[in-house]
Amino acid sequence: MAANGSAPPVGQENINTDIITLTRFLTEEQNKVPEATGDFTLLCHSLQFAFKSIAYYIRRASLINLTGLAGSSNTTGDDQKKLDVIGNDIFISAMKGSGKCRILVSEEEEDVILFNENPNARYAVVCDPIDGSSNLDAGVSVGTIFGIFKLPDEVLGPNKTVSEKDLLRPGTEMVASGFTMYGASAQLVITMRDGDVNGFTMENSLGEFILTHPNMKLPHERAIYSVNEGNSSYWEDWTNAYFDSLKHPEEGKKPYSARYIGSMVADAYRTLLYGGIFAYPSDSKSVKGKLRILYECAPMAMLFENAGGLAVNSQMERLLEVVPEHIHDKSGVYLGSKGEVQKVIDMYNKHKK
């Protein structure tokens, strides 16, 4: 505003100089914890660099032919894209270089990756470097999902060993989780254990993630559902009954809107912003489910619970309490607004009694 209270001259921009970047946000959060060593902040800075690097390569992907198949498959049988390989390499390099990551789990690697050069590093990182990569050729949003665990003191030190079993823990033990979605702009959503959910948007001219969605909260209910109905012939009867109830409600009520992208990060981000439910049920074709507990289900479950929502598996167990049997173990998923997930639980109980 001008000095006399009138609007600024035409063409004059009101400039916000008090910008909260992700770097500033992490530093301010660290200052709230008197016993903080700064290790977690440094790890997050390395994660941030990985996200920026992947965002850069995705923007250039179609120009430099990175979207074709790389000629190999990952641990769960999906054809690997060139960008999958690059994203995985970026993540490994960033975590190794941080000096704060002792062990890394990636969807693209069959075994855990140990950083023995960092024997005193106290953090474990689990990730899906580029989720939804089968959509890349069509220009559909993809993303990175991650979770961070703090390792127990007894496995720290040059003469100690860390292994896969140290990561077979429930999501409740994560110290932080989040995802980055690489769409029209890169969106980063992050939360700490029992903390708020905050969304950041990449400002390319500054090269910084800027806080744009502080303290994200899900509405209690929203008539939107997101699921691959192409699998409905494999679903259990109660699962079909639930989704039929959304499409064919009682007289006088509107049917739900269907929104399905086919990229978990994109579907979850939309659900986080607008409410509703995202589901990938287990079925007769994928008896355990399709999504990986450790680095897809648990990190998303923490985000949704901290935003006021719910997240359960196909047996209606709290997803954050599910312990994976191995690092690539799978599960069915229902996550979203608390009221919408409760309707799934109610339908399950009605049919299973």
Side-chain angles (χ1 to χ4, degrees), residues 221-285:
E221 292 182 329
R222 188 71 188 271
I224 302 173
Y225 74 99
S226 177
V227 70
N228 181 1
E229 295 195 77
N231 291 327
S232 59
S233 61
Y234 304 110
W235 289 345
E236 291 186 59
D237 290 343
W238 78 266
T239 310
N240 272 306
Y242 165 70
F243 287 108
D244 285 344
S245 73
L246 305 186
K247 293 180 286 184
H248 308 288
E250 300 168 6
E251 193 171 339
K253 291 189 177 180
K254 286 186 176 180
Y256 278 48
S257 296
R259 299 283 186 271
Y260 184 66
I261 299 168
S263 168
M264 186 192 190
V265 166
D267 280 307
Y269 185 58
R270 184 201 56 250
T271 305
L272 199 57
L273 284 177
Y274 305 132
I277 188 165
F278 166 77
Y280 208 120
S282 57
D283 54 40
S284 60
K285 188 175 63 171

Side-chain angles (χ1 to χ4, degrees), residues 116-129:
N116 293 321
E117 60 271 43
N118 304 328
N120 295 307
R122 62 179 59 251
Y123 291 103
V125 176
V126 297
C127 73
D128 183 350

Side-chain angles (χ1 to χ4, degrees), residues 20 50 111 218 333:
I20 299 178
D111 300 315
L218 281 154
V333 177

